[in-house]
Amino acid sequence: MKTFVGTVASEGFANGAVRIVTTEKRLPTLRASQSVDVEKKILATALAAATTDLDHMQVNSKSGVKESTEIIEAHIMMLQDPEVLALSQAEIDTGQNAESAYASVIENFRQMFLDVPDPIIQQRAIDLYDISQRVLFYMQFPNEKYPDLTLDKPTILVAKDFTPSQIFTIDKKYLLGIATVEGAPTSHTSILARSLEIPFLVGLDAAVLTEPTSTLALLNGGTGHSPLNPPIQRQPNFCNIRAIFNWQKKMPKSSKASRPVQLMVCKLL
């Protein structure tokens, strides 16, 4: 049995089938630029379509969780940021098409976030990436619906990374847990997972992405109790994950004063 070690971003326990999620990065098309007015209209229409999607996420959210509302509102503010719009329009004025103009501006802001020596600020780069992918899609396919991730059966999702909007749009009754190669406990995705009580592990070895979809899994996101050996562990051909729970839990002050909790808390089968 293989073992993958990660860090707990959200506590919880789940078992079920694994689905490996691969998301191809959307890039601007290398098309000839049309008139400045046309390109600015393409940009404005795509921003409006992406904002409508987020508005629908807000309305359709059944979680009633404050964090969900705040994160969606933050993404809408990013979409409507007047500086991003002004800089994108300025790039269009130089002859770039709408996709290239917007993508270059977003990438500059992403790098600014990543260059800040603060992990919380760095994680905002993921938010920018998340919304920009939706905007680029609507620039390229203005008459289509954004292909949000969907589930039709209980699943543990394994991916390179996971964005907030992917959590917003998934039917939570089928989302058992998440494990990613990248990400951090400070990301908006992690905050959402904790608020919705979805087990979430980050920082796994990239080899986990090569595991076959439908592999059965037992995932413990660090409840503070060593899991018992469930009968499922005795079945053959399983992939195992262990998570190292290395941040402070709600413990008595006497315990907090000693050292961080470190527990082997997960086996993904």
Side-chain angles (χ1 to χ4, degrees):
M1 294 187 298
K2 299 177 183 178
T3 298
F4 298 93
V5 178
T7 299
V8 175
S10 176
E11 297 181 8
F13 181 90
N15 68 73
V18 164
R19 174 178 167 184
I20 306 298
V21 179
T22 56
T23 305
E24 185 176 347
K25 181 178 180 180
R26 189 167 299 281
L27 300 172
T29 54
L30 299 176
R31 63 174 178 81
S33 178
Q34 302 181 66
S35 70
V36 168
D37 288 343
V38 169
E39 294 298 334
K40 288 182 178 179
K41 184 176 180 180
I42 290 172
L43 171 62
T45 301
L47 288 170
T51 301
T52 297
D53 279 358
L54 292 182
D55 285 337
H56 288 163
M57 291 179 200
Q58 188 84 286
V59 172
N60 295 331
S61 175
K62 298 180 177 62
S63 65
V65 174
K66 176 184 176 183
E67 289 84 353
S68 296
T69 300
E70 291 177 343
I71 291 171
I72 293 175
E73 289 176 349
H75 279 208
I76 292 174
M77 289 178 65
M78 288 181 178
L79 280 171
Q80 298 176 341
D81 188 306
E83 186 175 3
V84 170
L85 177 61
L87 290 172
S88 298
Q89 290 176 334
E91 292 294 324
I92 290 173
D93 287 335
T94 68
Q96 290 196 58
N97 67 39
E99 297 104 292
S100 296
Y102 180 76
S104 65
V105 170
I106 289 295
E107 185 57 28
N108 286 337
F109 276 100
R110 284 187 68 253
Q111 287 303 318
M112 287 172 57
F113 283 132
L114 292 172
D115 289 341
V116 176
D118 182 327
I120 295 178
I121 299 299
Q122 290 173 354
Q123 288 299 309
R124 299 296 78 80
I126 296 175
D127 298 313
L128 276 178
Y129 172 81
D130 191 8
I131 64 171
S132 68
Q133 290 294 286
R134 192 173 293 270
V135 174
L136 287 172
F137 174 85
Y138 282 123
M139 289 185 191
Q140 297 165 8
F141 306 99
N143 298 318
E144 296 185 20
K145 179 64 178 173
Y146 188 80
D148 284 308
L149 182 63
T150 59
L151 297 176
D152 57 7
K153 60 183 178 181
T155 305
I156 294 174
L157 296 176
V158 177
K160 181 179 179 181
D161 205 352
F162 213 72
T163 65
S165 68
Q166 287 176 306
I167 289 187
F168 291 141
T169 55
I170 286 177
D171 191 335
K172 308 304 182 296
K173 70 181 178 184
Y174 293 130
L175 181 55
L176 301 177
I178 307 169
T180 62
V181 173
E182 298 180 357
T186 55
S187 71
H188 274 160
T189 307
S190 296
I191 293 170
L192 274 175
R194 288 195 291 274
S195 66
L196 297 170
E197 299 182 345
I198 299 169
F200 186 19
L201 310 181
V202 298
L204 278 67
D205 189 280
V208 72
L209 300 177
T210 65
E211 294 300 321
T213 286
S214 297
T215 298
L216 292 180
L218 170 63
L219 186 155
N220 186 328
T223 59
H225 302 284
S226 297
L228 300 176
N229 293 324
I232 195 172
Q233 287 189 342
R234 291 195 288 272
Q235 298 184 26
N237 195 24
F238 286 102
C239 163
N240 293 336
I241 287 182
R242 291 182 306 168
I244 303 303
F245 183 36
N246 57 8
W247 43 284
Q248 291 284 4
K249 288 166 56 77
K250 293 181 179 179
M251 298 173 61
K253 291 184 178 180
S254 58
S255 299
K256 286 185 178 181
S258 56
R259 59 183 175 81
V261 180
Q262 291 190 337
L263 295 175
M264 185 178 74
V265 295
C266 173
K267 286 187 171 66
L268 178 61
L269 300 162

